């Protein structure tokens, strides 16, 4: 299956944006948000975005 780099870039940008927002909320102490859980979920989304970038680069380089 082929995914354009633009589409992957959009998805990774969205994931990183959500992660950053959640981490901001955790830091700000937003009521109802458990800081540890929120920061952990944000880190998972950021890691997922990184993995998508790596896979896209590998695909573009013909490694996969």
């Amino acid at each position: 299956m082929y995914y354009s780099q633009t589409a992957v870039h959009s998805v990774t940008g969205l994931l990183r944006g959500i992660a950053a927002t959640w981490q901001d909320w955790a830091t700000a102490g937003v009521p109802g948000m458990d800081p540890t859980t929120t920061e952990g979920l944000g880190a998972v989304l950021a890691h997922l975005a990184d993995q998508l970038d790596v896979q896209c680069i590998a695909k573009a380089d013909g490694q996969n």
Side-chain angles (χ1 to χ4, degrees), residues 37-53:
T37 301
T38 306
E39 288 176 2
L41 289 171
V44 168
L45 289 182
H47 181 72
L48 178 58
D50 291 344
Q51 290 301 308
L52 287 170
D53 281 340

Side-chain angles (χ1 to χ4, degrees), residues 19-59:
T21 299
W22 285 356
Q23 290 172 343
D24 288 345
W25 289 348
T27 302
V30 172
M33 302 292 286
D34 176 62
T36 303
T37 301
T38 306
E39 288 176 2
L41 289 171
V44 168
L45 289 182
H47 181 72
L48 178 58
D50 291 344
Q51 290 301 308
L52 287 170
D53 281 340
V54 168
Q55 290 297 320
C56 186
I57 291 167
K59 191 74 164 173

Side-chain angles (χ1 to χ4, degrees), residues 3-27:
Y3 297 101
S4 73
Q5 289 182 352
T6 303
V8 172
H9 180 73
S10 295
V11 170
T12 58
L14 176 64
L15 291 171
R16 287 189 178 100
I18 292 169
T21 299
W22 285 356
Q23 290 172 343
D24 288 345
W25 289 348
T27 302

